[in-house]
Structures are given as structure tokens and as C-alpha cells.
């Protein structure tokens, strides 16, 4: 049952995972580059290594399971999956080109859901019957909650660190925090790989179930996580320098201490949500954490104009991805 369409879907899914890697590389390397702990090349290699190491440690793919159930099985076709992937890749490339740290996770979810809804309309069914509202509402809730949690955790961690180190010599403290940034950046890269690669795993699992290669509920073939972690690691190695600049210096000025706080807070949030199978945005979470460390100084330390523009990008990502997917699905119905 391996068809040309399935091969195209697998290739596009891995291409999306690759674009996810270079689009979201900024999440885990922006602060470590802006504080000059590592050079850009060293940073992407460091992050990519921990993106891939997840393969050997995470075997419970709860996030992948959630993504696979976003569109109801009755409305999933290969055209739906294909349209969702094309839409997600398109929006990823657009936001990367303009240096906007939008969510790769939400563009994939928006594309998949939008294509499923469009298919339901063509079938004469209720549009909302195509999606699992429980999962969609949870994802929508965490568009707000994930960055807020990251902000609160980062603010708290920064205050605690400042209190502990209040009597330390600045030069000694900075040297230690530069070393600790290697640890916090590694933790964030590990969490990023574990969270984001699983979303593509969910899409690929749906694709092989739809193609009748495996039955629904069967264990995920090992090649899927291996391919996905490899693709996202390769993408991270390619970097996304425009977004690195936005995340690393334009939202607020970051010191090594604040870099440790932001990365630690984002990693904690991602590990927490991953345990519950919630596909949150690494980008949203990290941005919230960076804003949180900026707030420990003063409100004006955060460039609110840029931050508000980023929030608008978050708001429109799912609907625009859904609309692109709807258009692509309509074309695929004619072509295929």
C-alpha cells in the first residue's frame, strides 16, 4: 500500500520538520549567542545534538498521539494530510523570511485542521465535526497559557537567582552563568526536540494508518521517530539567524544570568506540557520566558511594540494556516 502520494507526504513531513528546526533554532540558541557564550556555529551544533539525543531517551510519544487525533479519522485522507503539510511549510517559510518567531507547531495544527474542515464541507458534513474539539480547545488555551507560564517561571527563577547571588562578585558570577548557560541551553534543546518532532510523528502515523500500512492503535514504527529527530536536528544545524536576532536581542537585552533563567523556565514549561501530551509552542514559551526576565528589571526593559507584533503573529498563525490548507486542498481535489 505504499503509494506515490504517501512517499510525497513522508518527504514533505520531513521537510517541514527540517524547516521547524531552522525556524525554531532561535528558541534554544538565541540567548546563548547574544551573550557570546558560544559562536553561532557552535550554538547550532550544540542545540542540534540535543535535539537528536531525545530519540534515545523519550519513548512515550504523548504529543504525537494528541496531534494524530486533531482531525476525526472519518475525515482524514491523504489529500488532507498533504494540504496541511504544504500550508505549514508555506507559513513557516513566510515567517522565517520576515524574521517573525511564530509557532511551527500551531501552523502544522492549523493546516491539518483546516484541510480536515474543508474536506468535511466537501462531504456535506458540519465543519466542526471534522475536528476533535477537546484537543483543539486545549491547544487554543495553551496559546495563552504557555507563554504566560514561561513568563512567570522565568520571572520567579530570575528573582531567586538574584537573591542567592546578591553577594557574589559580578565577574565571578558572570563566568559561572556563562557555563550554566551551556546546561540550560542543552535542556531547552532537548525539550524542543521532544516536543516539536513529535508533532510530525503524529502526522506521519496518521498517514501510514490512512494508507493501511498499520492499523489504528498499532505501535509507531521506529523509523518515524528516528527520521523526525534527525530532520529537526539537521534543520537546527542550518540556523534561523533572522529569528535569532529578534529573540536574542530585540525583545530585551539578555545577560548570561537572564539567559540561564529564560532557558531553564522554557525547558521546565515544555517538559511539564509534554508529560500531559499537550502540543504547545516552543517559540511562544521561550518568548514568554524572555519577556519574564526582562520584567525583573523594569517594564520599559521589554520592547513592547515588537512583543505585541509577535503576539499578533501568534494569533493569526492557526487561521491563516487553515485558510492556506483549505485552498491547497481544493486544488488537490482537482489535480489528484
Amino acid at each position: 500500500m505504499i503509494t506515490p502520494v504517501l512517499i510525497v507526504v513522508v518527504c514533505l513531513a520531513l521537510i517541514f520538520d527540517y524547516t521547524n528546526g531552522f525556524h525554531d533554532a532561535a528558541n534554544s540558541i538565541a540567548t546563548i549567542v547574544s551573550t557570546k557564550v558560544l559562536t553561532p556555529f557552535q550554538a547550532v551544533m550544540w542545540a542540534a545534538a540535543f535535539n537528536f539525543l531525545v530519540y534515545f531517551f523519550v519513548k512515550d510519544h504523548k504529543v504525537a498521539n494528541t496531534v494524530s487525533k486533531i482531525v476525526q479519522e472519518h475525515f482524514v485522507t491523504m489529500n488532507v494530510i498533504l494540504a496541511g503539510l504544504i500550508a505549514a511549510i508555506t507559513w513557516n517559510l513566510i515567517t522565517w523570511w520576515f524574521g517573525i518567531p511564530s509557532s511551527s507547531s500551531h501552523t502544522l495544527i492549523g493546516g491539518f485542521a483546516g484541510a480536515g474542515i474543508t474536506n468535511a464541507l466537501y462531504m456535506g458534513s458540519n465543519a466542526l465535526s471534522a475536528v476533535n474539539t477537546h484537543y483543539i480547545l486545549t491547544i487554543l488555551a495553551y496559546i495563552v497559557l504557555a507563554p504566560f507560564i514561561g513568563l512567570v517561571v522565568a520571572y520567579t527563577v530570575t528573582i531567586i537567582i538574584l537573591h542567592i547571588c546578591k553577594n557574589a562578585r559580578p565577574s565571578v558570577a558572570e563566568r559561572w552563568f556563562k557555563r550554566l548557560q551551556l546546561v540550560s541551553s542543552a535542556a531547552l534543546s532537548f525539550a524542543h526536540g521532544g516536543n516539536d518532532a513529535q508533532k510530525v510523528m503524529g502526522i506521519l502515523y496518521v498517514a501510514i494508518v490512512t494508507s493501511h500500512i498499520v492499523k489504528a492503535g498499532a505501535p509507531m514504527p521506529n523509523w518515524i521517530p528516528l527520521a523526525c529527530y534527525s530532520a529537526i536536528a539537521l534543520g537546527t544545524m542550518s540556523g534561523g539567524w533572522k529569528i535569532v536576532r529578534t529573540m536574542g536581542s530585540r525583545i530585551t537585552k539578555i545577560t548570561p544570568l537572564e539567559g540561564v533563567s529564560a532557558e531553564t523556565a522554557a525547558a521546565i514549561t515544555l517538559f511539564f506540557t509534554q508529560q500531559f501530551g499537550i502540543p504547545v509552542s516552543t517559540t511562544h514559551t521561550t518568548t514568554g520566558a524572555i519577556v519574564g526576565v526582562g520584567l525583573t528589571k523594569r517594564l520599559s526593559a521589554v520592547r513592547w511594540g515588537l512583543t505585541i507584533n509577535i503576539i499578533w503573529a501568534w494569533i493569526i498563525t492557526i487561521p491563516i494556516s487553515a485558510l492556506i490548507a483549505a485552498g491547497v486542498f481544493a486544488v488537490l481535489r482537482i489535480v489528484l
Side-chain angles (χ1 to χ4, degrees):
M1 301 301 293
I2 297 177
T3 63
V5 175
L6 176 61
I7 293 171
V8 171
V9 163
V10 171
C11 290
L12 284 179
L14 296 179
I15 288 170
F16 172 80
D17 225 2
Y18 177 84
T19 65
N20 188 348
F22 77 69
H23 190 281
D24 288 7
N27 297 330
S28 49
I29 71 170
T31 59
I32 206 167
V33 170
S34 66
T35 56
K36 296 181 173 57
V37 173
L38 293 177
T39 66
F41 177 76
Q42 291 171 332
V44 293
M45 295 299 290
W46 181 256
F50 285 94
N51 276 172
F52 182 73
L53 279 174
V54 185
Y55 169 75
F56 299 102
F57 294 96
V58 177
K59 301 300 179 183
D60 189 1
H61 305 124
K62 293 179 182 178
V63 174
N65 182 58
T66 297
V67 171
S68 70
K69 294 177 180 176
I70 287 171
V71 177
Q72 301 286 8
E73 186 178 346
H74 177 63
F75 298 102
V76 177
T77 65
M78 294 306 289
N79 279 1
V80 166
I81 299 169
L82 192 56
L85 285 169
I86 293 172
I89 292 170
T90 301
W91 186 243
N92 251 9
L93 292 175
I94 290 170
T95 52
W96 163 76
W97 180 258
F98 289 102
I100 301 169
S102 69
S103 169
S104 297
S105 306
H106 291 151
T107 190
L108 181 63
I109 290 164
F112 189 32
I117 289 170
T118 307
N119 189 31
L121 292 173
Y122 274 109
M123 294 171 66
S125 300
N126 183 344
L128 292 180
S129 67
V131 295
N132 189 321
T133 52
H134 168 72
Y135 290 121
I136 291 293
L137 290 175
T138 300
I139 291 165
L140 291 175
Y142 273 84
I143 289 178
V144 177
L145 288 175
F148 181 74
I149 293 170
L151 184 154
V152 171
V153 175
Y155 183 90
T156 305
V157 169
T158 306
I159 294 299
I160 291 171
I161 291 174
L162 287 172
H163 180 73
I164 292 172
C165 301
K166 61 184 178 182
N167 295 323
R169 290 173 55 190
S171 59
V172 174
E174 183 171 5
R175 186 166 62 250
W176 273 102
F177 281 114
K178 284 187 174 183
R179 293 171 182 170
L180 287 171
Q181 259 202 286
L182 293 173
V183 178
S184 60
S185 178
L188 181 53
S189 297
F190 190 91
H192 171 230
N195 191 285
D196 283 36
Q198 282 198 45
K199 291 148 192 171
V200 178
M201 290 182 210
I203 296 296
L204 285 177
Y205 183 76
V206 171
I208 62 174
V209 168
T210 304
S211 299
H212 306 292
I213 291 175
V214 300
K215 292 183 179 180
M220 183 181 294
N222 192 56
W223 67 266
I224 291 180
L226 178 61
C228 289
Y229 287 127
S230 299
I232 200 168
L234 287 170
T236 298
M237 285 170 63
S238 302
W241 308 119
K242 293 181 180 181
I243 300 174
V244 169
R245 181 170 175 266
T246 299
M247 297 281 281
S249 60
R250 293 180 63 195
I251 295 174
T252 189
K253 183 176 174 58
I254 296 289
T255 65
L257 182 155
E258 292 157 350
V260 170
S261 298
E263 289 161 353
T264 301
I268 289 170
T269 306
L270 290 172
F271 284 133
F272 171 78
T273 53
Q274 188 177 318
Q275 289 303 308
F276 292 94
I278 302 169
V280 301
S281 167
T282 306
T283 307
H284 293 191
T285 305
T286 307
T287 304
I290 291 173
V291 170
V293 298
L295 289 176
T296 61
K297 293 177 279 191
R298 58 189 182 280
L299 281 173
S300 61
V302 178
R303 295 182 175 92
W304 293 105
L306 176 65
T307 304
I308 290 169
N309 288 339
I310 292 171
I311 291 171
W312 273 113
W314 296 353
I315 292 170
I316 65 174
T317 288
I318 288 181
I320 286 186
S321 301
L323 288 172
I324 295 172
V328 173
F329 180 83
V331 172
L332 290 176
R333 275 180 56 89
I334 298 170
V335 174
L336 299 180

